[in-house]
Every structure is written in C-alpha cells, then in structure tokens.
Amino acid sequence: MADTVTGHDEARLRAALEHAHHPTLALVLVHLTGDTSFLSARYQPAYQAIGGDPDGGLSEDAKAELRDAVFKAMLAYWETGKIVPKSDTPTLKRMMDYCATQPIPDEYVNFAMHELALDGRENLKPGKGIALDRAQAAAFKVLIIGAGMSGIASAIALKEAGIAFEILEKNPEVGGTWFDNTYPGCRVDNPNHLYSYSFEADHAWPQHFSTQDQLLAYFKGVAKKHDLYKSIRFNTEVVSAAWDEAAATWTVRTRTKDGKEETLASNAVISAVGQLNQPKLPDIEGLGTFKGPAFHSARWDHSADLKGRRVGVIGTGCSAIQFVPEIAPKVSHLTVFQRTAGWLAPTPDYHDYITDGKHLLLADVPFYQVWYRFFLFIAMADGPLAYLIKDPSYNRLDYAPNADAAALREGVEQYIREQTEGRPDLTAALTPNFHISGKRSIRDNGVWAAALKRDNVTLETGGIARVTETGIRMQDGRDLAFDALIYGTGFKASDFLVPMEIKGKGGQSLHDVWGGDARAYLGLTLPGYPNFFIMYGPNTNIVVNGSIIFFSECEANYIVSCVKMLQDQKAKAFEVKRDVFDTFNAEVDAANAEMPWGYAEANTWYRNAHGRVAQNWPFRLIDYWNRTRTAHPSDFTFS
Ligand code: NAP
C-alpha cells in the first residue's frame, strides 16, 4: 500500500469513493473495464444531476457495487498503468443516453461528442481547427475591449489562430464582473464544474458554487497560463471607436486612469464588456442627499464599517440575497426594501464544499472529471427549456406554461412556505405572483428566509417615497433612520456598450441607431458596423439552459471563423446583410414573446424600456452552437 500524492493509496481511494457521484462511476467503469453492463437498468439513474451529487435514485446495493468495481478497476489500473478506453461511437452514444436518462436525439450527438472531448480538452479551444493563413492573421490586428470572462475567451481563440490582438481593460486586473463585485457572500450561481472554460475544465474548485475570490483567481490563472497579461493594457478605458471607411480600420480612443488619452488603430474590434457591468442606482428622489455611507453592491465600500449600524438595503435580486445574510449578523438593525419578490431556486448544496474524497476522484480517477462535467452539461443543456414552453392546451396558463412547470411552481411555493414557517407575513411577501423565469430565479439554501426571520431584520414591502439626509421616507409617511444605505439595485443591462461612443459607416452613432433597443445578428454583428463584434451582446443571455461561458466560447469561435472568411474572400471588411439581421431579430422577438420573461408582468432586467427582450436567447443551446461553428459568406457583404 503506497501512500503517494497521486492517490495510490487503497484506503484513501475506498474512503473517497464514498463521496462519489455514482452514475459517473458507472461511466468510468465502461472505460476502465470495457464492460457496458454498468449501463444496464440496475445502474441507470432515474433523473439527472444538477449542482451537487444526487445519484438519481440508484439503490444502495447498486451504489456499493459500483464503488467496489471502481476500486478493483483502479487497482488494476495502478498495477498496469494501462487503459484502453471505450471510444466507439455506439458505446459513447449509449453512455450519453445514460447521462441524459433518455436517448439523446441524433441532432445532439455531434454537439455532445464535441463537449465530451475525449480526444483532449485542448481541442475545445474556440477557433481550434479553423486554419488561417498565419502571415495574414498576424497582420490582422484586433482590439478587445475588456479582460473579463468573454475577453479572455476571445483572446485565447485569437492567439490560437495566430491573429494579432491587444486587450484594453478599464480595471487594474482581469476578471470583469468577478473583479468588480466584491460584496460579502458573492458567489457564482452556476455549478463550477460547468461554469468554467471547456478547455480549462480540470480545475480544483473548492465548492460546487465557489465564491468571488475563487472565480477571480481562476480567471487570473487562465490569463496567466495563456500568457495574456503581456497583451493587456490595464487601467485603460475605451472612450470611443470609429470606423474609418477609406482605411478599413477602426480608430479607437482610450483614456487611462490618470487622464492620458491615446488613439489606436485596428482591423477589427471586439467589445467584451458584458451586459451587467454598469451599476444602476435606484431612480428614487433625493438619492444624493443621504449623509451616511451609501454605495452600490457592485462598488462595495469596504471602508464603511457596518458593525453595530442601522443599515438599509434596497433591492432583493441575486446580489442582495447573497450579501444580506452575510451582513445581517453584524449590523444592529437591517431593513430590506423589497419591491418585487423573485422566485427562489432551492439548492441545498449551494454553500457546500467539495470534500477531499470528491477532489481525489476528480483529479485521480481517469474519466471521472470528464463525465461528471458532461452530466452537468447534458442536464442543463436544453432540458430545462421544457419548463418554459407553452402548452396551448394546458388549462392553467395563468399559473404556468405547462403541467410540469405548474408542478415546479407548486414545489417552490411549498419550499417558500417551509422556509417561512411561523411567519405568514414573510410567506406572502416572498411568494411571487408571476411565472417562474419571468425574472431571474435566485439560488437559495435557506439562508434568505433565515436572515429575514432574524430579530434584527425587517422586510419592508411598502413603497419608498424618497431618500432623506437621515434615511428613507416611506410613501405611508414613516421616516426610517439609517447609518448606511446599500443599493442592490442591479445593472443597466439594456444600455449595451454604454458609455462608449461607437461610430460606424458614415459616422453613424450606434446608440442613435439602437435608440435604447440593442440588436445584433447572433448577438455579435450588425449592419453598418464592419469588423465589429459584440460578445455577450444583445439576445445572448441564457436564463435556464447551460453556462454563459459556453456562449462566450461559441462567440469566440465565430469571430475566428469570420476572420478566416475575410481571408477566403480576399476582403478587408465584412458586414452582415440587413435582411439576415432583420430575419434573425424577428425570429428572436417572436420566440422571446412566448417565454415567461417575454410575457410575465414582472420587473426584470430581461426587458428594455421599449418592452422588448433585448437580453435573452430564447432558443436552445445547440442552436447557438450550430449557428456559431462557421460564419457563412452568404450572410455578409464584403469590401
Ligand atoms: P437585479 O436582479 O436587477 O435586482 C435589482 C433589485 O433592486 C430588484 O429587487 C429590484 O426590484 C430592486 N430595485 C431596483 N430599483 C429599485 C427602486 N427604484 N426601488 C426599489 N427597488 C428597486 O440586480 P442584481 O441582484 O444585482 O442581479 C442582476 C443579475 O446579475 C442577476 O439577475 C444575475 O444574472 C447576475 N448575478 C449573478 C450572481 C451569481 O451568479 N451568483 C449574483 C449576483 C448577480 P424589482 O424586482 O421590482 O425591479
């Protein structure tokens, strides 16, 4: 029995297996032993795993057999160091069906095989396999605005393709939203084994849903590993970008933190600033009059000592629900102002740590990490959309779009009742009156209701009249005194690319063209703005299906494909055709109108001031993947 860091320790392995996601063990066994009987009904989970490690209802006996079989297979593997993994397509298809708990439709096979990447995660890098003329690529300069999750993905893709690039970042560090948001309790709400780059998925996440510092460390690590730092100008904000038609280049004006302005030129520009980067203060009268510390959640003032103070929090979205439970025990009194309740998404393991046993399995058992991620991927890919699609024959459409969605809503209502037991006032206040996904659902493991039930916490659902020098005046005339105010009031999600001034052909201002109603073809390009790309642009936010990092990788791949297309066309600039752009937007609008976020009467950042959903992708994940594999010349004009 050798005790090594690589895990050649039988006792450690035995103990670790107790922490396994058992369906993943069945798949590992197919590779380690070649025996497909581990995919039989005895070991078939009845439902999929999202978040933690539910085993899909496998019996205790079946689970013990799987653990035992992996233990023996690992001993043999340690002995010989050899595996001949099962990789024939019919077997892999059976394994994917096993994960999905039903046969995967044929159209998903390539998509799923791609994600599985049994030939190596390196091959998942966006742009991989798109062969450009290297000399031309090196002479094609791209400026990327933003070194957040999308900017990093596009830089890695461009680097892979040999395209010259530079990143302009307003902050002194990479990370974007994970740099800006430092409020207490900030963490991701997508499981980390999925919320990570597909080509950098082998990461030892400390939690299923890790905290902001861990996310920031991950993005810094990826940027370092891919040697991006030397290509980033930090503390440099882009003020404007203008298309120079004669030169077929973009002229980009930058301003550093100390006010120094500079003009740069590039063949293409990628905006990677995201949808949620401009904090939105509430439009409440008297906002600036408050004398104490007052700040937005995304600009947390860590110098403000809240200990023993009376604190008012405006907003009850994803941000507030994360920081309120953290600060509640420290303050003397906390008043939370709720305008609209959001749906909670019960997630018991939301704050759980990955055990040492799980870490060992993820790191040392061949194929465990790959299939564990695939379980999450396939569970979250497009299945959850079923809860959003209207069944016209359903007789309770005012309650939910279909029978399964109604059962889900009833379940969450029951969860809220349990969480608020003994406080009927809270039960009423926390139960939304619109369809689930009418606005962003909020993961919860019980800490939200627990915080609101505290003796030193009050939930105010009445209207706010104004902010005063000393606190908040309610519409019913009450004056509430505070020492500090915190605005958890979200972001200007509809103001895409604000405050940058973007001028396209003929000096046309993008913000004038959009008029507050941003649109782009595949969220990425638009007529009149040649060689200009928007990552996480209009209509590319996903609500229930998948990870937003997946979208960014698709976008980065498409951008490389566009540069390849330019080379093939021997052109300097491309522009999406007006009719392609219009048709796409009409399809998107029609589909979004049928989604809860399109029709539910709820305040949401998913709709802009025109009432149009300019944020969300209403289709399947596979549709975006298919549409961004290759840029089609017939969609564009060239010059
Ligand atoms: P948000 O979801 O837009 O919530 C803003 C809150 O402020 C809402 O409760 C809103 O009420 C309230 N509010 C706004 N203006 C107000 C006013 N004038 N008076 C009273 N209340 C007002 O913002 P967020 O919580 O920052 O979250 C934004 C998005 O960021 C999330 O949906 C999510 O996509 C992302 N996010 C993710 C994570 C994560 O991954 N864990 C964490 C935080 C945020 P109404 O609902 O009535 O408008």
Side-chain angles (χ1 to χ4, degrees), residues 521 527 576-585 634-636:
Y521 175 58
V576 68
K577 288 177 181 165
R578 168 69 57 185
D579 61 323
V580 171
F581 171 85
D582 286 342
T583 304
F584 170 78
N585 277 287
S634 57
D635 288 348
F636 299 96

Side-chain angles (χ1 to χ4, degrees), residues 173-174 219-221 223-224 227-234:
E173 188 43 274
V174 305
F219 287 107
K220 281 184 186 175
K224 275 199 188 100
D227 201 16
L228 300 185
Y229 274 87
K230 65 174 196 267
S231 308
I232 307 174
R233 287 191 199 207
F234 288 109

Side-chain angles (χ1 to χ4, degrees), residues 385-433:
L385 283 177
Y387 292 95
L388 309 180
I389 309 291
K390 265 190 205 165
D391 170 2
S393 67
Y394 186 55
N395 60 6
R396 293 170 73 202
L397 283 175
D398 57 334
Y399 183 74
N402 59 52
D404 286 343
L408 177 69
R409 181 167 172 175
E410 282 159 4
V412 181
E413 284 174 349
Q414 174 61 20
Y415 173 79
I416 295 168
R417 278 194 293 276
E418 286 163 13
Q419 289 292 318
T420 55
E421 201 183 347
R423 287 286 302 272
D425 58 322
L426 285 182
T427 311
L430 298 195
T431 306
N433 60 359

Side-chain angles (χ1 to χ4, degrees), residues 236-529:
T236 303
E237 190 166 357
V238 170
V239 181
S240 65
W243 177 245
D244 178 339
E245 202 149 358
T249 54
W250 282 93
T251 306
V252 175
R253 280 196 70 71
T254 62
R255 189 186 298 134
T256 57
K257 280 240 159 55
D258 49 16
K260 202 175 124 216
E261 296 211 354
E262 204 175 333
T263 301
L264 307 171
S266 66
N267 300 92
V269 168
I270 300 173
S271 167
V273 301
Q275 295 192 7
L276 301 171
N277 68 327
Q278 296 290 321
K280 189 180 82 183
L281 292 172
D283 49 353
I284 302 174
E285 215 186 310
L287 200 68
T289 60
F290 182 67
K291 295 284 189 213
F295 52 89
H296 187 276
S297 59
R299 299 287 180 271
W300 196 271
D301 180 356
H302 291 277
S303 70
D305 185 7
L306 304 178
K307 203 162 159 237
R309 303 297 170 97
R310 298 161 302 171
V311 177
V313 169
I314 300 180
T316 53
C318 295
S319 300
I321 285 188
Q322 291 187 338
F323 70 74
V324 161
E326 297 291 321
I327 63 172
K330 298 179 182 131
V331 303
S332 71
H333 194 89
L334 185 62
T335 304
V336 179
F337 295 89
Q338 174 183 280
R339 191 164 63 180
T340 320
W343 282 106
L344 299 177
T347 309
D349 65 346
Y350 194 26
H351 292 177
D352 287 0
Y353 281 83
I354 309 275
T355 59
D356 288 349
K358 279 196 180 78
H359 277 302
L360 185 146
L361 300 175
L362 285 161
D364 291 347
V365 173
F367 297 102
Y368 186 94
Q369 205 279 348
V370 170
W371 284 102
Y372 181 64
R373 180 178 165 103
F374 187 78
F375 254 105
L376 294 174
F377 175 79
I378 209 70
M380 292 186 68
D382 287 327
L385 283 177
Y387 292 95
L388 309 180
I389 309 291
K390 265 190 205 165
D391 170 2
S393 67
Y394 186 55
N395 60 6
R396 293 170 73 202
L397 283 175
D398 57 334
Y399 183 74
N402 59 52
D404 286 343
L408 177 69
R409 181 167 172 175
E410 282 159 4
V412 181
E413 284 174 349
Q414 174 61 20
Y415 173 79
I416 295 168
R417 278 194 293 276
E418 286 163 13
Q419 289 292 318
T420 55
E421 201 183 347
R423 287 286 302 272
D425 58 322
L426 285 182
T427 311
L430 298 195
T431 306
N433 60 359
F434 50 86
H435 284 191
I436 289 185
S437 294
K439 63 193 291 177
R440 173 83 168 182
S441 292
I442 307 163
R443 283 200 190 274
D444 175 60
N445 58 349
V447 297
W448 179 231
L452 297 179
K453 281 165 140 179
R454 290 176 61 93
D455 289 343
N456 70 335
V457 176
T458 309
L459 182 69
E460 281 285 351
T461 54
I464 296 172
R466 56 171 297 129
V467 173
T468 65
E469 286 189 12
T470 54
I472 283 180
R473 180 165 306 150
M474 302 298 287
Q475 282 171 6
D476 61 14
R478 282 177 299 145
D479 267 315
L480 306 177
F482 295 108
D483 302 310
L485 289 178
I486 305 173
Y487 307 121
T489 42
F491 300 87
K492 297 173 186 167
S494 301
D495 294 346
F496 287 87
L497 276 48
V498 168
M500 293 183 291
E501 181 66 70
I502 311 291
K503 290 193 170 166
K505 280 165 85 175
Q508 181 77 264
S509 156
L510 180 56
H511 295 302
D512 287 348
V513 170
W514 275 344
D517 189 9
R519 294 161 193 262
Y521 175 58
L522 299 174
L524 278 157
T525 66
L526 62 163
Y529 296 82

